[in-house]
Amino acid sequence: MDTSFSAAAPCFRAILAEGHQSVSEGLPLRNGESSKAGDAARATSLALVEAFRDLPAEHLAELERLLVTQAVSRGEVLMRQGDVADALYLVASGRFAINVDGRRIAEVGSGSPIGEIGFFADGIRTATVTALRDSIVLKLPKAEFTTFAERHPIILRPIAVTLARRLADTLAGDEQSLTHPRTLAVIGAGGLPVPDDFRKRLALALSRFGQIATVDSATLAAALSANVDLDSEAVTSWFNRQEFRYHYVLYFADSELTPFSAKIIRQADQLLIVGDASEGAPEPSTLERFAFDIHPVSARRLVLVHAARKPLSGTSRWLNARAVAMHHHLVAEDSTGYDQLARFVSGNARGFVACGGGALCAAHVGVYKAFLEANIGFDVFGGTSGGGAMAAAFAMGASPDEVSARTAAIFLEARALKRLTWPRYSLLDHTVFDRALKTHYGDAEIEDLWNGYFAVSTCLASNSLFLITRGPVWKAVRATSSIPGLLPPVYCEDGRVLVDGSLLDNVPVKSMRGLKSGPNVVIGLKSDELRGDTVDYAALPSRGQLLLQMLNPFARRRLPHAPGVATVLLRSLMVRRERLTDSLERDDLLITPPLPDDVSVMDWHRHAELAEISYHHTAKVIADQRARGHPLFR
């Protein structure tokens, strides 16, 4: 509710000043912060609004007296796109999402102004602003400001300058970038408490990316009086001060749905559900169900803690009961899994993006080998078509030599893409390919892999890209590399009809980025080119002529030297390629091995040669980028 600022504003000025002072006293700055935070601590709160920054002190003081405070609950809409801009807001504490046409374009926190463009321009709201957690704002009503401006017209000039600058930025397409979740509510799955050892190890792993605060009910009780109202503005302000002081805040809930647990779940950006893998996927507790009502699927992570590293099974039961954006496996007393989880949470997870390209995909083996030898591991693998097959093997823990041997076994020994059939459903006998995939990928499920994995496929039923993140690994590989015409689609129980992912996304960088933030190794392969002037079109035989020539070994030699069906189909899949460099971000590392010009997308017999070339090329790239300080090597 709104209250008079004359009674409450000094308290919230102190909140802002205290939070800013903690930064200026030596705590590390968060990403995107500057020393302006310290300057703001020495200024009145409205000086944080660009249009007011250069006003005389007496005018600022008069404006300050017009402010009112307003508490905003998590999920509450502060303003809606299209509404009349009747007030300007300054975030005293908390966090807000800025959405335009249903798309989130930014998040703002303490000290940030909200709604100044529509406010100063006498216009309508250009965005919908929603509280991401319990927050407090300072409100400057439009009617009071108009009266003030009539008395002091000198303030209108800096406002006009600010509006012109902001309009220019908007027309140039500048947008604030989304921030990573920095507050996590950690709860136990199935009503069990989160082990103390897990708390300590997670905090230690995350501390490598910034200063950490851990908060539980005992921490809050020690900081505030025992009978304080957890929904009060004082408590909300205390929580938000922790966020301002630290890079990351870990809120550990009680094992039951207590008032404290409810408060920290509403306060957090993201939900971390910790399950004991030995418990056999218990049903969600009352605490979990409450958390699910607050946090959307996109803000949930499941962490399954194991006693030892061994082949996994049964993860699907956990995921069937708990819809989450991602899940992670770790060993209770092994720091490796905690470090990996910390990279995901902090936006530093390392991804391996493998592209399609038929036999050219053997190059991925050499790239992966070079990174392993450089002691650079990956947290999640993803790929399209042949790249999806390679990425799956890497995610399963296969060594480069093993992957090379399996490639030879599938495509040379089993001749999986050479067995013709009666062309009723496809040109090739898919059962040969399926059998080879089952042999070499086994019965592993994607959700049971220690590393993350996805395969990109094209769904013909919906004419859209489909990311495969669950189910048998072999079937995901089969779907992502289902070359239309050569192989029948993979028909799913839910009605999806899946074919090769290269139709829509041959290099799935965007798909990887949709799952996590952080640096990626992206492999781009230049395919062989089919030159139209090398084949005499008129010399292509009719069906009858072809049958006769195929039956006569001597006549067979006179057939025109044109690419076969498989080559044309594979090359067709690679035609629709966006300019790859336009999809990359600064922390992505593009690897483009210099493959021989005469290698074809069906030359599986040259897999070892391609892997070797790519290995040496990648080793040089790694040495160069490591010296340059690329994010992958930090």
Side-chain angles (χ1 to χ4, degrees), residues 10-132:
C11 168
F12 296 109
R13 287 204 193 92
I15 292 170
L16 286 171
E18 183 178 353
H20 290 137
Q21 185 179 8
S22 68
V23 173
S24 64
E25 288 176 347
L27 293 183
L29 296 175
R30 300 192 298 265
N31 290 338
E33 284 186 347
S34 70
S35 60
K36 290 181 180 178
D39 296 335
R42 295 185 292 274
T44 53
S45 55
L46 277 178
L48 297 173
V49 180
E50 184 180 3
F52 295 145
R53 190 168 298 157
D54 298 323
L55 292 184
E58 62 271 19
H59 291 167
L60 279 173
E62 187 174 347
L63 276 175
E64 293 274 338
R65 289 192 290 271
L66 300 176
L67 295 173
V68 294
T69 62
Q70 179 176 330
V72 188
S73 300
R74 181 190 182 100
E76 184 178 342
V77 176
L78 181 66
M79 62 181 68
R80 294 187 185 277
Q81 185 175 353
D83 286 353
V84 175
D86 59 353
L88 173 122
Y89 298 90
L90 184 73
V91 183
S93 63
R95 199 160 196 81
F96 291 83
I98 313 298
N99 293 278
V100 175
D101 297 329
R103 181 174 63 93
R104 183 174 300 186
I105 64 167
E107 294 176 8
V108 297
S110 300
S112 298
I114 299 178
E116 68 269 35
I117 293 181
F119 179 82
F120 291 131
D122 288 325
I124 61 174
R125 299 300 189 192
T126 58
T128 296
V129 180
T130 307
L132 292 173

Side-chain angles (χ1 to χ4, degrees), residues 296-371:
V297 173
S298 59
R300 306 176 198 166
R301 291 183 185 273
L302 173 66
V303 182
L304 295 181
V305 182
H306 303 264
R309 190 177 181 93
K310 59 182 181 179
L312 304 176
S313 63
T315 306
S316 60
R317 294 195 297 273
W318 288 86
L319 298 178
N320 290 341
R322 297 166 176 83
V324 295
M326 289 197 76
H327 71 280
H328 310 270
H329 297 283
L330 57 81
V331 176
E333 298 182 0
D334 184 353
S335 62
T336 303
Y338 294 91
D339 291 340
Q340 186 179 73
L341 176 59
R343 287 194 292 270
F344 274 104
V345 168
S346 64
N348 290 281
R350 296 192 290 261
F352 188 96
V353 181
C355 69
L360 304 181
C361 291
H364 293 92
V365 178
V367 174
Y368 183 57
K369 179 181 179 181
F371 275 95

